[in-house]
Amino acid sequence: MPRKMFVIFGVSNVLWMVFAVSQAFKVDIFPNESKIFAQIGDSVSLTCSATGCESPSFSWRTQMDSPLNGKVRNEGTTSTLIMDPVSFEDEHQYLCTVICGAMKREKAIRVEIYSFSKDPEIRLSSPPEVGKPVTVTCSVPDVYPFERLEIELLKSNRSMKVQEFLEPSEKKAQETKSLEVTFSPTDEDIGKALVCQATLHIYDDDSPPKERKTMKELEVYISPKDTAISVNPSTRLQEGDSVTMTCTSAGLPAPRILWSKKLDNGNLQLLSENATLTLISMRAEDSGIYVCEGVNLVGKDRKEVKLIVQEKMFTVEISPGPQIAAQIGHSVVLTCDVRDCESPSFSWRTQIDSPLNGKVRSQGSKSTLTLSPVSFEHEHFYLCTVMCGQKKLEKGIQVKLYSFPSDPEIEMSGPLVSGNPVTVSCKVPNVYPFDRLEIELFKGESIMMNKIFLEDASKKALETKSLEMTFIPTTEDTANVLVCLARLPIDEMEFEPKQRQSTQILYVNVAPRDTTILVSPSSILEEGSSVNMTCSSNGLPAPKILWSRQLSNGDLQPISENATLTFMSTKMEDSGIYVCEGINQAGISRKEVKLIIQGRESNKDYFSPEFLVLYCASALILTAIGMVTYFARKANMTGSYSLVEAQRTKV
């Protein structure tokens, strides 16, 4: 009994020691969480540590046995798995396995991936203007998983819209999500801030979500309004007086003030960009309508005032007329003529005090300003100022420039071929101002196309303008006339034509067609026979005929350029395919004929008529020769010969 108790006691001690050792050996993973969240592009380290074991052996794996895509570093009783940078491939349940002798322990941790690296972006569809709708877009770039995203747009502290993106992601990818709100700004929105707040609820517990926000101050604009003009001393003035006009306009941002004078043709001539416009030593020509404009980024507002400057008694005339159109490169003479003043004093200037760039000559009651050669620098409103004692009078003339030096140029994209599209171009070179130019294209009496160049010519330059049209010519167009007519409607042109034109006679080509071959006597012949093959082809201009023979490889060997191809005595080797081509500048037309040369048959040659005639003639000739020889010999023997005697003797 004591021995049995001793055995039981020993076994229990061993079991207790094994239990104590197993309890001392354990494994932990840092971070000490069952699940962690890793930002895409960041670095994550998982550290597995073993306690209660002097020489542990570590190994890492995913629960699905996918590739680790990380680096493992073992040091003593710890092992670290480093994922740098984190990507979608790193989203797994990771297991750290530790073996200590015969014992084995495992610890798991899950890595969830998210992307929320950039602040939201706020964009406006247009500059915000009071009373006009504007769309605000709040975008969150490169977010994942977006089904946990919430975007809220606030104006100051008031929420304008909240949007959640609850649809599940079909694939793992970073996406940009946005929220849009359209509203009409008011005066109260000035100085307020737009706040775009994005929240990513990546945690499943009560942990605070990830948040990012962007703030943008509202710069609300107000179009110019309530524009007003004050005039000191009055809108009615005497020559030599001065006047000060002040303009104000409300808006946000503060409008820029522009002063202009309305010309007789309704156009505005810019005078100043200051709020106050002062005109000194007023002249009668300074009378007119002055316009103040308040201008900012979102609009403009206008106010007008009419100034009347009373004239003096003497008169000034300027010629030629109040306006003149001057051809660039030519010369222009402006003449200022004074009446009812004995000793006038002259001076010339432009209305905006630009350099004259001309020569002034004054004599008696006249003064001339010569502009030569005329260039873009001379396009101004010129004023001739005349002093007569203490009185002053001014007369103005507007010099407008134009360039219309040559007739239009007609060009074709290629030769005219019946049925083939061709583009005709009508160019007007070195024209100014081209925004008044009109080009018309006629075919005979019918207009084909017209074009008016209404675009604004913002810069002063000579330009070439053109009209292009594509049409399909027919044979009926031959001898018809293309007319390109260009008009430059400047009323003051007196010595130059207001329109120019060019003409071109149409010569329409017709590609070769209806090519035919006439063979005489036949295309099947006996060797030694003659044959004529005549080719004809219709076209305009008349096609050139080219005869060729088709070789065995399909190539063509040119033979003749005559319409008729003749073989005087054919041979067997003349058999083959002969090709006739009708060629002109519009195209080619082809026709083929097969010539067959047959050999002579022997029996037919023997009984031919020519042979029989030759045979009979030979026989007769031989008989006659024999008879003559016979009678000649007999005459030699008797000393004489008589045909009668010969006949008698023969009888």
Side-chain angles (χ1 to χ4, degrees):
M1 185 68 180
R3 184 175 181 180
K4 185 176 181 180
M5 290 294 293
F6 177 78
V7 171
I8 293 172
F9 180 76
V11 170
S12 64
N13 282 342
V14 170
L15 292 175
W16 172 255
M17 291 176 63
V18 171
F19 175 76
V21 171
S22 65
Q23 285 297 103
F25 172 47
K26 66 177 183 176
V27 176
D28 293 308
I29 288 183
F30 180 84
N32 190 16
E33 303 282 347
S34 61
K35 177 167 47 176
I36 67 170
F37 295 86
Q39 170 96 324
I40 292 176
D42 289 355
S43 177
V44 170
S45 298
L46 305 179
T47 302
C48 181
S49 60
T51 57
C53 181
E54 291 183 359
S55 300
S57 174
F58 296 90
S59 64
W60 290 86
R61 66 182 178 89
T62 65
Q63 193 171 28
M64 303 298 294
D65 286 333
S66 301
L68 283 179
N69 295 316
K71 295 181 180 180
V72 177
R73 186 175 62 197
N74 297 325
E75 291 182 3
T77 59
T78 62
S79 178
T80 303
L81 173 61
I82 301 172
M83 291 167 277
D84 185 16
V86 173
S87 65
F88 286 112
E89 298 173 348
D90 299 319
E91 192 172 42
H92 293 294
Q93 176 95 1
Y94 290 90
L95 296 172
C96 174
T97 303
V98 184
I99 298 175
C100 183
M103 290 180 291
K104 178 180 177 182
R105 296 282 188 273
E106 268 190 349
K107 195 76 172 181
I109 184 171
R110 178 159 187 84
V111 176
E112 296 280 351
I113 304 301
Y114 76 94
S115 178
F116 196 47
S117 59
K118 299 178 182 178
D119 291 335
E121 300 171 358
I122 298 177
R123 295 190 302 275
L124 299 172
S125 61
S126 61
E129 183 179 354
V130 171
K132 293 187 178 180
V134 63
T135 299
V136 183
T137 302
C138 176
S139 301
V140 182
D142 302 332
V143 66
Y144 175 85
F146 64 79
E147 66 266 19
R148 301 188 182 187
L149 178 66
E150 176 184 298
I151 304 178
E152 183 177 13
L153 183 65
L154 303 96
K155 186 167 63 176
S156 291
N157 295 322
R158 186 176 66 85
S159 177
M160 300 178 72
K161 186 176 180 180
V162 179
Q163 185 169 341
E164 296 180 350
F165 304 87
L166 300 178
E167 67 271 26
S169 304
E170 296 181 0
K171 62 179 181 178
K172 291 183 177 181
Q174 295 169 295
E175 297 193 23
T176 297
K177 295 296 179 180
S178 60
L179 170 152
E180 289 187 354
V181 175
T182 300
F183 75 104
S184 297
T186 64
D187 293 339
E188 298 176 354
D189 293 327
I190 298 174
K192 290 186 178 180
L194 289 176
V195 179
C196 179
Q197 181 171 298
T199 305
L200 190 64
H201 302 277
I202 59 175
Y203 303 110
D204 298 326
D205 53 16
D206 295 331
S207 300
K210 300 282 186 180
E211 289 187 353
R212 285 185 175 274
K213 67 169 61 176
T214 298
M215 181 180 297
K216 184 180 184 69
E217 184 176 351
L218 269 175
E219 296 179 0
V220 181
Y221 299 95
I222 300 176
S223 182
K225 60 182 179 178
D226 303 329
T227 302
I229 298 175
S230 63
V231 181
N232 185 30
S234 172
T235 58
R236 286 187 170 271
L237 303 160
Q238 294 290 327
E239 286 186 332
D241 291 346
S242 298
V243 66
T244 298
M245 296 180 288
T246 303
C247 180
T248 58
S249 184
L252 191 66
R256 184 165 58 102
I257 301 299
L258 301 177
W259 275 104
S260 303
K261 184 179 180 182
K262 185 179 288 187
L263 302 178
D264 294 338
N265 59 8
N267 294 336
L268 294 180
Q269 180 184 16
L270 181 64
L271 300 177
S272 173
E273 295 185 13
N274 296 322
T276 300
L277 176 65
T278 299
L279 302 175
I280 61 174
S281 301
M282 297 287 288
R283 293 169 290 273
E285 289 75 18
D286 293 330
S287 297
I289 297 175
Y290 290 79
V291 180
C292 169
E293 284 185 307
V295 181
N296 68 7
L297 293 173
V298 292
K300 61 175 64 176
D301 190 35
R302 174 187 292 188
K303 195 72 174 180
E304 297 180 353
V305 63
K306 185 175 182 179
L307 295 184
I308 300 175
V309 181
Q310 295 179 349
E311 298 181 352
K312 293 188 177 182
M313 297 303 294
F314 69 95
T315 60
V316 176
E317 296 294 334
I318 196 165
S319 61
Q323 296 187 42
I324 181 174
Q327 170 88 344
I328 294 174
H330 289 191
S331 296
V332 168
V333 178
L334 308 180
T335 302
C336 187
D337 191 2
V338 179
R339 294 181 182 179
D340 302 325
C341 179
E342 293 183 358
S343 301
S345 174
F346 297 91
S347 64
W348 290 85
R349 68 181 179 92
T350 66
Q351 193 170 30
I352 58 174
D353 289 330
S354 300
L356 284 178
N357 295 314
K359 294 181 179 181
V360 177
R361 181 180 178 183
S362 300
Q363 184 176 3
S365 61
K366 290 185 179 181
S367 179
T368 58
L369 172 61
T370 302
L371 310 177
S372 179
V374 173
S375 66
F376 287 114
E377 298 174 348
H378 295 125
E379 192 168 43
H380 292 295
F381 189 82
Y382 291 88
L383 295 169
C384 174
T385 304
V386 181
M387 294 293 298
C388 186
Q390 298 297 319
K391 297 180 180 180
K392 181 171 68 173
L393 196 59
E394 202 169 57
K395 204 73 172 181
I397 182 171
Q398 179 73 49
V399 176
K400 294 183 178 180
L401 302 185
Y402 77 96
S403 178
F404 198 39
S406 57
D407 293 335
E409 301 170 1
I410 299 176
E411 296 178 358
M412 299 286 186
S413 61
L416 296 179
V417 179
S418 178
N420 291 352
V422 66
T423 298
V424 58
S425 171
C426 179
K427 296 181 180 179
V428 182
N430 299 326
V431 67
Y432 174 84
F434 65 81
D435 55 334
R436 300 184 182 185
L437 180 66
E438 179 181 2
I439 304 177
E440 291 181 313
L441 185 63
F442 293 84
K443 185 170 67 175
E445 299 294 329
S446 302
I447 185 168
M448 300 176 70
M449 186 179 183
N450 76 310
K451 185 175 183 180
I452 300 176
F453 300 84
L454 298 177
E455 64 266 34
D456 181 26
S458 57
K459 68 175 183 177
K460 295 182 178 181
L462 302 181
E463 296 197 22
T464 297
K465 293 298 178 180
S466 62
L467 173 152
E468 288 189 355
M469 180 185 178
T470 300
F471 73 103
I472 299 176
T474 65
T475 54
E476 297 176 356
D477 292 329
T478 298
N480 218 333
V481 179
L482 275 183
V483 180
C484 178
L485 178 64
R487 294 188 182 93
L488 192 62
I490 298 179
D491 297 335
E492 295 76 25
M493 290 196 302
E494 298 177 0
F495 306 107
E496 292 288 335
K498 293 184 181 181
Q499 66 182 34
R500 290 182 177 273
Q501 73 177 39
S502 295
T503 61
Q504 182 170 320
I505 299 176
L506 295 178
Y507 295 97
V508 180
N509 300 314
V510 178
R513 59 185 178 181
D514 303 329
T515 302
T516 59
I517 297 175
L518 178 63
V519 182
S520 177
S522 172
S523 61
I524 303 176
L525 301 164
E526 293 178 353
E527 187 177 18
S529 301
S530 62
V531 65
N532 291 326
M533 295 185 289
T534 303
C535 179
S536 63
S537 183
N538 296 326
L540 192 64
K544 183 181 72 171
I545 300 300
L546 175 63
W547 278 100
S548 302
R549 181 175 182 178
Q550 185 171 308
L551 304 178
S552 58
N553 59 2
D555 292 341
L556 295 180
Q557 179 184 19
I559 299 175
S560 173
E561 294 185 5
N562 296 323
T564 300
L565 181 63
T566 301
F567 291 91
M568 297 303 298
S569 178
T570 56
K571 301 176 182 178
M572 294 287 290
E573 53 266 30
D574 292 331
S575 297
I577 295 175
Y578 291 81
V579 179
C580 168
E581 291 177 306
I583 304 171
N584 67 10
Q585 59 187 7
I588 299 176
S589 178
R590 175 183 294 183
K591 193 72 175 179
E592 297 179 357
V593 64
K594 187 173 183 180
L595 189 64
I596 301 174
I597 308 300
Q598 297 178 342
R600 294 178 181 269
E601 297 177 5
S602 58
N603 57 346
K604 185 174 182 180
D605 290 341
Y606 181 80
F607 292 102
S608 63
E610 294 84 355
F611 181 80
L612 291 176
V613 171
L614 182 62
Y615 178 80
C616 294
S618 300
L620 290 174
I621 291 170
L622 291 174
T623 302
I625 292 171
M627 291 179 67
V628 170
T629 303
Y630 171 78
F631 289 117
R633 287 179 179 176
K634 190 171 182 180
N636 288 334
M637 290 188 299
T638 60
S640 64
Y641 176 74
S642 172
L643 182 59
V644 176
E645 289 295 325
Q647 290 292 337
R648 288 177 180 175
T649 304
K650 188 177 179 180
V651 173

